[in-house]
Amino acid sequence: KKTAYFNGTTFENMVDFREAEFNIDKLDNGKTDFCNTTFKNYAQFSNVIFNKKVWFSNTKFEKEAYFIDTEFNGEVNFGSSVFKGEADFRSSTFDKANFEKVLFKSLALFTDISFNLLIFSECIFEYITHFKRKNKNNTEYFAIFHKSFFAHEQTIIENFLLSKTSFLLTDMRKTLILCEIENKKILSHNLLNDDINLEYANIKQNLNYEPVLAEYRNLRLSMENNRTYIEASELFKKEMDLIKEHTNPFEKLVIWLYEALSNYGESMFKPFAWMMFFVFMFPVPFLVWEYNFVGYLNHTYIGCLFDTLRAFFQLGIKDKYSLMYNYEWLIRIISLILLGNIFIAIKRRLERK
């Protein structure tokens, strides 16, 4: 019920704390301290309850470490620790968990976990790693994977909302990400815009435009490599939104038009709809100006429509007296823009299939 110190201890044989309760009194400002501890055989902390702060900093787990169904009801810190054997945190509950500069040399399991704040900063995962969040209905959480490295291709991250998860300066291209994209920005993008106040010094110092843009691209490539193309498309749109926020006014206008015409090349319907609208409506204002609606529904409109179609498909207007002849150059330019957007959309769809 009081502060417990195991600081600097070496456990030569197996350690079994199963179902123990470190139930520090509310008036005690201390913590449970396993800092600088060495577990030479397996360490069993399953079904343990830590009701306040617990520190495992600079701890060495020489063999398996089990934290299955463990409750960390206060802050837990595993900073600079080494897991040489399996690290099993299945079904554990965290309030705030800090894994900073931790080395996982073997299997790392964080499946069916619940948490409020989960931080993996400058961590190295050398073998198979699996993260899975338990409660999909709870959205009051944040997960940060900052400057971490996943060496093994069998790395799976699932049930994390990307609007609640940051992979800043972490290469995720070869991992399997089974996360919900939503119609929202990723967490790093929101932090960049100060839309979310999340005080974490290590991520703040690297939080600028280029790393966030790289994070979007890495996540999109991961989605494309794993053939989750709808999610990849949504990420590309958010990536272009970020570029639009940090570019000059002219490029911002071009990107805005690109979005309006074809959702950044992700929609085939929008440029086709714009094409139909343009072809049928382009002659109308000129007919109104010249004839005051006379001939709008007769052969004059039909002739102008056919001339617009010829110019649109780069065939040229032969009749020099046609009302559309002087505007052929404009029709051709708009045609190239719209047909180019259709081509980009079709190309992307075929490449992804």
Side-chain angles (χ1 to χ4, degrees):
K1 293 183 178 181
K2 298 292 183 180
T3 297
Y5 287 103
F6 296 87
N7 194 310
T9 304
T10 297
F11 293 94
E12 296 287 346
N13 292 307
M14 66 181 186
V15 176
D16 194 341
F17 280 95
R18 274 180 295 185
E19 300 183 14
E21 291 187 28
F22 293 85
N23 193 20
I24 299 174
D25 190 275
K26 291 182 179 179
L27 299 178
D28 192 331
N29 292 322
K31 62 189 177 186
T32 303
D33 190 339
F34 282 93
C35 294
N36 304 300
T37 302
T38 300
F39 296 90
K40 290 193 173 182
N41 208 313
Y42 79 76
Q44 179 61 267
F45 285 89
S46 296
N47 299 103
V48 173
I49 297 175
F50 297 97
N51 82 320
K52 294 188 76 173
K53 292 181 180 180
V54 55
W55 254 231
F56 282 92
S57 303
N58 296 298
T59 298
K60 294 181 180 179
F61 297 91
E62 301 285 346
K63 297 292 180 68
E64 295 87 349
Y66 299 103
F67 291 86
I68 304 170
D69 282 308
T70 302
E71 293 183 28
F72 298 94
N73 295 322
E75 183 179 352
V76 56
N77 191 329
F78 282 89
S80 301
S81 292
V82 177
F83 291 86
K84 291 185 178 180
E86 178 181 339
D88 193 339
F89 287 85
R90 286 176 295 166
S91 303
S92 288
T93 301
F94 301 93
D95 178 20
K96 178 182 177 182
N98 190 348
F99 294 81
E100 185 173 348
K101 297 181 180 179
V102 176
L103 173 60
F104 297 89
K105 296 184 71 67
S106 187
L107 180 67
L109 295 175
F110 289 85
T111 54
D112 296 316
I113 60 172
S114 302
F115 58 89
N116 293 320
L117 177 60
L118 193 63
I119 299 169
F120 289 90
S121 180
E122 299 182 61
C123 294
I124 298 175
F125 299 87
E126 293 186 352
Y127 194 52
I128 296 171
T129 307
H130 191 178
F131 293 92
K132 182 180 180 182
R133 192 171 62 87
K134 183 178 181 180
N135 188 355
K136 293 184 66 175
N137 296 323
N138 177 28
T139 59
E140 301 301 320
Y141 70 90
F142 294 103
I144 295 173
F145 297 86
H146 171 233
K147 293 176 73 173
S148 292
F149 176 67
F150 295 97
H152 202 279
E153 291 188 0
Q154 291 188 40
T155 299
I156 304 173
I157 300 178
E158 56 180 316
N159 291 347
F160 286 68
L161 297 175
L162 292 187
S163 62
K164 298 288 184 177
T165 309
S166 171
F167 296 99
L168 193 70
L169 296 175
T170 299
D171 190 352
M172 306 301 296
R173 288 175 296 177
K174 294 183 179 180
T175 61
L176 176 59
I177 301 175
L178 302 173
C179 298
E180 295 183 38
I181 305 298
E182 313 167 281
N183 188 23
K184 296 180 181 179
K185 303 170 184 175
I186 61 175
L187 177 59
S188 298
H189 192 168
N190 285 323
L191 291 172
L192 182 64
N193 295 340
D194 291 324
D195 294 337
I196 295 176
N197 182 22
L198 182 61
E199 291 298 327
Y200 178 54
N202 284 16
I203 193 172
K204 286 289 185 181
Q205 66 187 11
N206 297 120
L207 198 60
N208 51 61
Y209 168 68
E210 288 80 9
V212 177
L213 184 62
E215 181 181 344
Y216 266 121
R217 289 173 176 170
N218 284 338
L219 289 171
R220 174 168 55 84
L221 288 172
S222 172
M223 299 292 182
E224 290 179 348
N225 291 337
N226 293 295
R227 299 182 182 276
T228 49
Y229 297 127
I230 295 176
E231 291 81 358
S233 175
E234 292 300 319
L235 283 171
F236 179 71
K237 294 174 189 176
K238 299 297 180 293
E239 178 185 334
M240 293 299 296
D241 288 339
L242 176 62
I243 295 173
K244 184 169 62 176
E245 291 174 10
H246 294 267
T247 190
N248 60 66
F250 175 74
E251 290 183 355
K252 189 172 292 187
L253 175 62
V254 172
I255 295 172
W256 180 85
L257 287 172
Y258 190 25
E259 178 187 14
L261 291 175
S262 64
N263 274 352
Y264 305 121
E266 295 296 319
S267 170
M268 288 193 294
F269 172 77
K270 285 187 75 172
F272 182 78
W274 276 112
M275 181 186 76
M276 298 299 293
F277 176 81
F278 172 77
V279 169
F280 282 95
M281 295 303 297
F282 185 79
V284 172
F286 303 104
L287 288 167
V288 171
W289 179 263
E290 291 289 333
Y291 300 104
N292 194 22
F293 278 104
V294 176
Y296 176 70
L297 293 177
N298 64 14
H299 67 279
T300 306
Y301 171 75
I302 301 299
C304 289
L305 177 61
F306 276 109
D307 287 337
T308 303
L309 278 169
R310 288 186 61 85
F312 189 87
F313 290 105
Q314 309 299 318
L315 299 176
I317 299 176
K318 296 179 180 180
D319 186 1
K320 294 183 179 181
Y321 298 100
S322 169
L323 191 59
M324 297 293 99
Y325 184 79
N326 292 329
Y327 306 102
E328 181 179 355
W329 61 274
L330 179 60
I331 299 171
R332 285 176 177 267
I333 291 174
I334 296 175
S335 163
L336 291 174
I337 294 172
L338 292 174
L339 291 176
N341 276 269
I342 293 175
F343 173 77
I344 291 171
I346 293 173
K347 182 175 181 291
R348 282 188 185 161
R349 190 65 59 85
L350 293 176
E351 284 177 345
R352 287 172 177 170
K353 287 184 177 181

